[in-house]
Amino acid sequence: MTKIKICGLSRKRDIDYVNEAYPDYIGFVFAPSRRRITYEKAIGLKMMLDRHIQAVGVFADAPREEVLKFVDGGVIDIVQLHGNESVEYAESLKNYGCKVIKAISMQDKYVERELKLWEQTDVDFLLLDNGKGGTGEQFDHSLIGKRSKPFFLAGGITPENIEHFVREVHPYAVDLSSGVETQGLKSRKKIISAVQRLRQYE
């Protein structure tokens, strides 16, 4: 069954929406972004989150100690690396006991080399997107090819097209952010619709 992640939560009402819709994962952004939240705010939101929904923390080239503060504090369950982190950096997190998602920009001219490199590491998942982070832009899905490691698909996914992407691309999970927003804020209606459409399709 295809999993679903709702990324970029920043308000208490966002947590209410996902607790109602019940996706598999949610994302808190700690990398530079308009959706970025603080450690303190994330603690409060995580305390409200249904314990069966896993929280992913999105970082970009953050010091290892900073990432581990979020892990040790119980703020996140999975680390998502969205910068230019090295394999050694990612595997040091794995050795610490973290689950790790590594984002790959599918617009990079060296994308095939990057995919092969990261597929040979111990990271748990890849996340394939347009490299622009939460803009809602798609990339050429023919670039994905056959992947040996499970991956999250991001970029341009909405409640209206989620079934198409699952059927055509067969990702481990779909990752939505701007696709479930209205005027830059998370929409209860869109979040519930996206999760329901995926569940019904599956």
Side-chain angles (χ1 to χ4, degrees):
M1 178 179 289
T2 308
K3 309 294 185 183
I4 183 169
K5 172 172 168 253
I6 306 296
C7 199
L9 306 189
S10 61
R11 305 173 299 166
K12 290 182 178 180
R13 68 182 63 182
D14 296 344
I15 301 297
D16 291 336
Y17 300 161
V18 295
N19 283 344
E20 181 180 358
Y22 215 72
D24 303 282
Y25 306 93
I26 60 92
F28 295 137
V29 178
F30 306 115
S33 164
R34 66 177 177 83
R35 302 179 181 90
R36 187 177 193 169
I37 60 173
T38 64
Y39 178 82
E40 291 73 22
K41 187 166 190 177
I43 289 175
L45 296 179
K46 180 60 157 56
M47 289 178 64
M48 295 172 54
L49 183 68
D50 187 290
R51 64 185 181 87
H52 295 100
I53 302 173
Q54 293 190 284
V56 178
V58 180
F59 302 89
D61 303 313
R64 181 175 180 271
E65 296 72 24
E66 179 183 333
V67 174
L68 294 181
K69 179 178 77 169
F70 287 84
V71 174
D72 292 338
V75 180
I76 59 173
D77 306 296
I78 303 173
V79 176
Q80 180 175 316
L81 303 177
H82 230 284
N84 298 306
E85 296 86 2
S86 66
V87 170
E88 292 75 21
Y89 177 97
E91 293 191 336
S92 75
L93 294 176
K94 283 294 300 175
N95 291 336
Y96 191 81
C98 303
K99 276 194 171 183
V100 177
I101 302 169
K102 179 64 180 89
I104 305 291
S105 169
M106 299 303 287
Q107 308 283 25
D108 192 306
K109 63 180 179 179
Y110 301 114
V111 63
E112 187 56 37
R113 184 183 71 181
E114 285 291 294
L115 287 169
K116 287 181 179 179
L117 171 68
W118 285 98
E119 285 200 313
Q120 295 170 9
T121 69
D122 291 332
V123 301
D124 298 274
F125 307 101
L126 302 179
L127 183 144
L128 312 181
D129 74 356
N130 59 34
K132 299 178 181 178
T135 61
E137 296 179 38
Q138 298 178 26
F139 63 88
D140 181 359
H141 292 155
S142 69
L143 296 172
I144 297 174
K146 290 187 177 181
R147 305 269 56 96
S148 60
K149 194 177 286 288
F151 64 90
F152 286 66
L153 179 69
I157 305 174
T158 68
E160 290 73 31
N161 63 26
I162 192 169
E163 297 172 22
H164 167 76
F165 285 134
V166 170
R167 182 172 60 249
E168 296 298 319
V169 183
H170 306 292
Y172 165 80
V174 286
D175 192 325
L176 292 79
S177 188
S178 60
V180 287
E181 291 179 347
T182 298
Q183 296 181 338
L185 297 173
K186 290 295 182 283
S187 160
R188 173 183 177 273
K189 180 180 178 181
K190 290 180 180 180
I191 289 173
I192 292 174
S193 176
V195 176
Q196 285 183 343
R197 288 191 182 207
L198 178 62
R199 301 287 190 243
Q200 289 168 359
Y201 173 76
E202 293 286 304

